[in-house]
Amino acid sequence: MIEIDFKNFLSVWNNMQNQTTPRVHLRIAHWLETSWRNGDRRLLLMAFRSCGKSTIVGLFAAWLLYRRPDLRILVLAADSMLARKMVRNVKRIIERHPLTEGLKPEKPDQWGSDRFTIKRPLELRDPSMLARGITSNITGSRADIIICDDVEVPVTCDTAGKREELRELLGETDFVRVPGGTQLYVGTPHSWFTIYANAARTEINEAIPFLDGYSRLEIPVIENGISAWPERFPPEEIDSIHLRSGPNRFRSQMLLQPVNIAEGRLDPGLLVRYGGDLGLSPELKGLYLHISPSLREGGGGRVHEPLSLSADSPYTPTPTLPLGGRGLIRMVSASAWWDPSFAKGGDSSVLAIVFTDEEGRRYLHNVTYLSVKPDHLSPPACGRGDQGGREFLNSNLDNATAQCRQAALTLKRFHCPSVAIETNGLGQFLPSILRRELARAHVPCAVVEKTSTRAKDIRILEAFDVVLAARLLHAHDSVYATPFLTEMQEWRPGGKGRDDGLDAVAGALSLEPVRVKRLSSVMRRQGWTSASETHTADTRFDV
């Protein structure tokens, strides 16, 4: 056997096809070979669409079989047709490449469309290369190398349920890959919750990234303002792709940025994120919200001053916020909306709390998905200083009372003066139960009954469109750990996805009037009015 590195193996093949080898392909080839020789067995290759990454990986598989004919390679893709495409490509390479022409088997049955076995010194049960869709049964198979080629596509990740299923299916590969085997992922992100993310997605309870510990090579179409493949993707072609594909698809498929590839109506990137805790200050005799100094824009990373809320009494907060050196900004109201549900496995029961300042900025401070089963309830919502929370919540309650008690403790923690409860479909019994539990918990919070008569889609659009477009909606860190952001990303008018959190927050936002910044001080400075000037009118008239 002639010893040849992968870059030369690739160049020989391209010369046979009367093609040159672009620099981006040599870069991928160098990374694959170096990783293999260094013993890196967890690899992630992300490169922009039409880069030829799957073709290069197919050539890499052929090179590996050329070097070690006893290797077993399993190709997984979103569907079996895509997986067979790579297997067919490797078969053609083995048939035609001058270095692999002796590997083709003599028996036709070993040269199938979805599997093949080359001439090899060992008798092994599994073929040299096998193609399977991600949902196929691979139990009992064994592989030295598993190539996951575009396992994440819209059909496998466009809903939370599909993303969870994809992760479970990929977890099965641990039982197929032999000890010390290699797993190579090849693809582009199609969702904010992509399996390729380099940071854990706390919104779906990830403690570490799905591919934590993997060696990564990421090649967007533009790096440092320069095209990664200028011969095929000059600036004008990149601009054209941007216009044709739209911003989300371009960022996802060409720049490799994790976003929802579908053009959603509600963009979580327009939220302004902040962090902090509400609590009573005995020294100051008021309510304060202590915000960490990492209040940041959703997409800009701008850092602001800490946020603090103060109150004249525990239940009449007047929050203030030193934001970007502009001084204290007073919070003028708090709104709470509860959209209840008692259907197990159906709609969620959600309580949303929103604060508003003088200039119309909204602060989504809490979104609580209330437990349906009483034994899932816990007292952390009581906050500091609330004793007896465990006695107040117990597992011997009916669902309605249990949720009302949990809602009461949440409203107490955030000192809400009132809560609106949507009574559609639940009759008139729930508000009375909530009032009873608020009284038991000593929470001075009024209950306002609301009946929605307009379509939910219209209510959500009207509540979110303007505040998001104007970057007026802030969201607390705790909100990012709930399903709320997933609902935002996946929501479509008229769709069938989850929207219970959206509906509750929309209700809380709808309770707030539109507020316009006062201009009286500006007018005085500009001389439109002046408190020091007087004018005496002549009131003597001839009648």
Side-chain angles (χ1 to χ4, degrees):
M1 182 184 72
I2 302 174
E3 183 70 24
I4 184 173
D5 62 24
F6 179 44
K7 287 192 291 185
N8 284 323
F9 186 91
L10 169 63
S11 297
V12 168
W13 176 257
N14 284 339
N15 288 336
M16 291 180 58
Q17 309 300 314
N18 295 319
Q19 295 177 345
T20 59
T21 305
R23 182 174 298 181
V24 64
H25 288 181
L26 292 174
R27 179 181 173 186
I28 295 174
H30 175 75
W31 178 76
L32 288 170
E33 181 177 0
T34 301
S35 299
W36 176 261
R37 293 186 184 278
N38 291 341
D40 295 334
R41 295 297 181 254
R42 302 290 184 271
L43 305 174
L44 168 59
L45 170 60
M46 287 202 297
F48 58 93
R49 287 282 291 272
S50 301
C51 177
K53 54 186 177 295
S54 294
T55 300
I56 303 301
V57 170
L59 280 157
F60 181 62
W63 178 73
L64 290 174
L65 291 172
Y66 162 69
R67 290 175 53 85
R68 287 183 50 184
D70 58 337
L71 286 175
R72 295 160 296 179
I73 302 175
L74 171 63
V75 180
L76 294 177
D79 57 61
S80 57
M81 184 178 298
L82 183 60
R84 287 198 299 268
K85 184 177 180 181
M86 176 174 286
V87 170
R88 288 196 303 268
N89 182 41
V90 176
K91 284 175 57 181
R92 286 195 298 268
I93 295 168
I94 291 175
E95 289 174 335
R96 301 174 186 177
H97 200 290
L99 296 174
T100 59
E101 56 185 0
L103 296 179
K104 183 178 178 180
E106 297 176 355
K107 297 180 180 179
D109 62 338
Q110 294 183 329
W111 207 239
S113 61
D114 64 343
R115 70 182 69 197
F116 65 82
T117 302
I118 62 173
K119 292 181 180 180
R120 57 189 182 186
L122 299 178
E123 277 296 330
L124 300 171
R125 184 185 65 177
D126 296 284
S128 298
M129 201 163 190
L130 174 65
R132 284 290 181 264
I134 188 61
T135 59
S136 301
N137 183 11
I138 56 175
T139 302
S141 299
R142 293 294 180 268
D144 302 287
I145 301 170
I146 299 179
I147 300 174
C148 297
D149 182 32
D150 280 330
V151 290
E152 180 179 286
V153 294
V155 73
T156 62
C157 73
D158 59 356
T159 67
K162 290 180 180 179
R163 290 191 294 270
E164 183 178 358
E165 181 184 14
L166 176 61
R167 283 164 165 77
E168 291 177 357
L169 291 171
L170 291 173
E172 291 296 316
T173 61
D174 292 336
F175 304 101
V176 174
R177 188 180 61 253
V178 300
T182 296
Q183 183 127 0
L184 169 61
Y185 281 86
V186 185
T188 54
H190 286 75
S191 166
W192 167 253
F193 302 100
T194 176
I195 59 174
Y196 310 130
N198 58 9
R201 296 296 187 244
T202 57
E203 305 93 322
I204 55 174
N205 299 318
E206 273 190 349
I208 59 175
F210 182 74
L211 299 183
D212 183 54
Y214 275 63
S215 298
R216 307 167 66 98
L217 176 63
E218 300 182 22
I219 306 178
V221 71
I222 301 175
E223 293 183 288
N224 299 320
I226 301 174
S227 172
W229 192 351
E231 298 85 1
R232 183 170 178 179
F233 293 92
E236 57 272 16
E237 176 62 19
I238 295 175
D239 291 341
S240 176
I241 295 173
H242 192 184
L243 290 174
R244 294 196 308 268
S245 61
N248 274 17
R249 188 177 295 272
F250 182 81
R251 288 171 59 194
S252 170
Q253 301 300 287
M254 304 304 288
L255 300 182
L256 311 180
Q257 298 176 6
V259 296
N260 191 358
I261 193 171
E263 297 291 343
R265 184 62 185 268
L266 305 179
D267 182 6
L270 296 177
L271 295 171
V272 183
R273 185 169 179 172
Y274 69 97
D277 297 314
L278 262 175
L280 287 171
S281 173
E283 297 82 6
L284 299 176
K285 297 181 180 179
L287 175 68
Y288 279 78
L289 174 59
H290 299 282
I291 292 293
S292 63
S294 59
L295 180 65
R296 49 198 178 275
E297 301 276 353
R302 194 167 46 171
V303 177
H304 300 286
E305 296 294 327
L307 176 70
S308 61
L309 298 180
S310 63
D312 298 326
S313 68
Y315 301 109
T316 55
T318 55
T320 56
L321 165 65
L323 182 59
R326 297 173 58 188
L328 297 180
I329 301 175
R330 181 182 298 273
M331 296 288 179
V332 295
S333 63
S335 298
W337 184 285
W338 182 13
D339 183 11
S341 174
F342 302 107
K344 297 180 182 180
D347 293 342
S348 299
S349 184
V350 185
L351 174 64
I353 299 173
V354 175
F355 290 100
T356 304
D357 67 18
E358 286 182 318
E359 298 188 5
R361 286 186 289 262
R362 313 295 175 85
Y363 299 86
L364 179 55
H365 197 66
N366 182 263
V367 180
T368 299
Y369 286 73
L370 300 174
S371 301
V372 173
K373 295 182 180 180
D375 55 354
H376 287 174
L377 299 180
S378 57
C382 303
R384 278 175 282 173
D386 276 314
Q387 302 298 325
R390 295 190 183 277
E391 292 74 17
F392 188 66
L393 291 176
N394 62 72
S395 59
N396 298 319
L397 301 173
D398 61 90
N399 284 341
T401 301
Q403 288 196 42
C404 285
R405 289 194 177 185
Q406 192 179 13
L409 292 176
T410 303
L411 294 166
K412 181 177 183 179
R413 177 186 177 189
F414 296 111
H415 309 281
C416 296
S418 66
V419 58
I421 180 169
E422 189 171 341
T423 58
N424 292 39
L426 295 177
Q428 300 300 314
F429 70 93
L430 194 59
S432 60
I433 298 177
L434 180 58
R435 291 187 181 98
R436 182 192 68 198
E437 300 307 322
L438 287 169
R440 284 183 176 179
H442 306 291
V443 183
C445 178
V447 177
V448 181
E449 300 178 28
K450 292 286 186 178
T451 302
S452 298
T453 58
R454 307 175 68 203
K456 183 187 296 187
D457 288 354
I458 296 176
R459 298 199 308 268
I460 292 174
L461 285 174
E462 290 184 349
F464 281 95
D465 263 355
V466 175
V467 291
L468 284 177
R471 301 301 298 273
L472 292 175
L473 184 57
H474 298 57
H476 188 265
D477 279 340
S478 63
V479 176
Y480 285 75
T482 70
F484 176 72
L485 266 73
T486 303
E487 291 184 14
M488 284 190 71
Q489 288 186 316
E490 297 181 351
W491 185 78
R492 305 287 183 275
K496 298 181 180 179
R498 294 277 185 175
D499 58 9
D500 305 302
L502 290 173
D503 195 21
V505 175
L509 291 172
S510 69
L511 297 175
E512 293 294 333
V514 176
R515 302 180 189 276
V516 180
K517 182 180 179 180
R518 295 171 182 159
L519 299 177
S520 57
S521 59
V522 177
M523 294 178 182
R524 284 196 295 270
R525 285 198 302 270
Q526 293 178 343
W528 294 350
T529 64
S530 175
S532 60
E533 295 179 0
T534 60
H535 177 74
T536 303
D538 188 355
T539 58
R540 294 171 297 175
F541 300 100
D542 295 330
V543 180

